[in-house]
Amino acid sequence: LYATNIDNGQTKELFEPDGGGEEKDFSLEEKLRRERARMMATGVTSYAWAKGVGGDDAEGKKKQRMLIPLGGALWLLDDALGGDEGAVPRKVTETNTAGDTNDSNDFHSLPPNAPLLDAKLSADGSTVAFVADNEVYAVSANNDEKPRRLTSGARGVDGLSNGVADYVAQEELERADGFWLSPRGSLLAFESVDESHIPSYRITHQGEDKGLSHSSETSSYSPERTTCEDVTRETTVTHEEHRFPFAGAMNPAVKFGVVSTDRQEAGGDVMWFDLASVFGDDFYLAKAEWLAVPSSDEGSNDQDSNRLVVQLLDRRQQTL
């Protein structure tokens, strides 16, 4: 990742991947999201900015913080454009690879080997949020706190998810976001999806090298040494299953709520919006966005926005 000064044309390196970020490193969930985003590039493919973080730099300009997801970890660059050498990356959190050592009794602990998806940085640079195994987490960008889990009820339940854009939203509405951080990071709006009533659709990877029977003419084949299990393993192609909402059939059931990022205990309060009162139960969540902090409150660092705009689309796609 590089930055170029448009005033003098000078370019400097901001972040160099130390391994990871290649196609072979992605989980199936990450690969599917990349496919839906039509993403072909590898390495550093996304980042987020936050301006006015921690005062001014040596030139009197507002410092800028940058969030970079890469290689199963979330990295921050403090004062990303300051100095000739750039900022030193610091790791906020990373995928839990502890396996069985993970404390399953800790509500806030990250599930083993779950990729950190859709990481976002609040506009003031104070809070990072992401999804791990169908639940939303938040972590402070200013200290070494551990991530806090903000949602519950979806993990381990087939067809349920929190904070992940549903298939229709990603493919038809071009909405990849499933949660939205408020400008100063104290609140998080999220989509809760139930697609358990939608039948699974299997996609077989017919183009794989596997799938062909052994030939007696190949040197690797030996009837005396090859077992039925060997043949089955070497000729079985992989497949994936998705709950695919066909045209005219039922869509995922969507709820929309807001939760505090300060949540400390399991089962914290979620303020749910009554979206079904607009178009009934069958609708599309088209877009959500926090409005800016009111100008009268801009001088207060503690005042966050409490205004949220939500766009809905009816099932016939005639009324927005």
Side-chain angles (χ1 to χ4, degrees):
L1 181 65
Y2 294 85
T4 298
N5 187 320
I6 60 175
D7 293 329
N8 57 30
Q10 293 182 350
T11 298
K12 66 178 179 180
E13 182 182 287
L14 296 183
F15 187 86
E16 179 181 3
D18 184 16
E22 299 301 320
E23 192 70 29
K24 62 181 178 60
D25 302 318
F26 297 127
S27 66
L28 176 60
E29 192 173 6
E30 290 172 303
K31 289 179 180 179
L32 293 175
R33 288 181 63 86
R34 284 169 53 82
E35 288 178 8
R36 292 169 187 171
R38 312 302 189 257
M39 174 65 71
M40 300 294 291
T42 57
V44 178
T45 58
S46 65
Y47 55 86
W49 282 105
K51 299 180 180 180
V53 179
D56 298 340
D57 61 17
E59 298 179 359
K61 298 179 180 179
K62 294 294 183 182
K63 291 182 180 180
Q64 302 185 63
R65 175 173 285 166
M66 178 181 286
L67 169 69
I68 305 172
L70 185 72
L74 304 181
W75 301 87
L76 283 176
L77 297 179
D78 297 311
D79 192 15
L81 300 181
D84 295 332
E85 301 299 325
V88 177
R90 62 183 176 94
K91 188 185 300 182
V92 182
T93 188
E94 63 183 332
T95 299
N96 176 16
T97 57
D100 294 337
T101 62
N102 178 59
D103 185 0
S104 59
N105 296 318
D106 182 1
F107 176 77
H108 296 288
S109 65
L110 290 172
N113 302 315
L116 312 184
L117 302 176
D118 199 19
K120 292 182 172 64
L121 180 65
S122 60
D124 70 342
S126 66
T127 307
V128 174
F130 58 91
V131 175
D133 196 11
N134 292 324
E135 301 290 2
V136 186
Y137 288 76
V139 60
S140 172
N142 296 321
N143 50 50
D144 295 328
E145 292 181 1
K146 293 183 178 180
R148 302 180 301 276
R149 180 174 161 187
L150 306 183
T151 62
S152 60
R155 178 166 298 156
V157 182
D158 189 27
L160 301 187
S161 64
N162 287 321
V164 180
D166 60 271
Y167 181 87
V168 175
Q170 294 186 51
E171 283 289 343
E172 305 298 335
L173 302 179
E174 297 184 359
R175 174 173 63 79
D177 298 327
F179 68 89
W180 300 264
L181 269 170
S182 60
R184 290 180 177 161
S186 66
L187 298 172
L188 182 139
F190 69 97
E191 173 185 18
S192 182
V193 178
D194 181 358
E195 53 183 12
S196 58
H197 54 284
I198 299 176
S200 294
Y201 180 75
R202 174 172 291 190
I203 301 174
T204 303
H205 294 188
Q206 300 282 14
E208 290 183 338
D209 292 336
K210 297 181 179 181
L212 300 177
S213 350
H214 281 284
S215 170
S216 59
E217 297 179 359
T218 62
S219 58
S220 62
Y221 175 73
S222 171
E224 295 79 14
R225 297 194 304 271
T226 303
T227 66
C228 292
E229 289 77 10
D230 292 334
V231 174
T232 300
R233 181 181 64 255
E234 294 179 19
T235 60
T236 300
V237 297
T238 58
H239 66 272
E240 55 191 78
E241 292 192 0
H242 304 279
R243 296 184 181 274
F244 185 84
F246 284 91
M250 297 183 69
N251 280 330
V254 175
K255 296 196 301 181
F256 187 83
V258 174
V259 66
S260 169
T261 59
D262 247 349
R263 178 178 184 178
Q264 299 297 324
E265 302 297 333
D269 292 336
V270 176
M271 181 177 68
W272 296 105
F273 286 46
D274 183 14
L275 301 185
S277 63
V278 182
F279 294 127
D281 293 330
D282 200 359
F283 62 88
Y284 301 103
L285 175 58
K287 184 179 180 181
E289 184 175 351
W290 288 94
L291 298 182
V293 177
S295 57
S296 59
D297 298 320
E298 286 183 350
S300 173
N301 292 328
D302 298 326
Q303 184 66 37
D304 202 351
S305 175
N306 59 4
R307 299 183 299 168
L308 185 69
V309 173
V310 180
Q311 275 190 336
L312 303 180
L313 181 65
D314 71 319
R315 177 62 190 264
R316 296 178 65 85
Q317 301 184 31
Q318 296 177 334
T319 306
L320 183 65

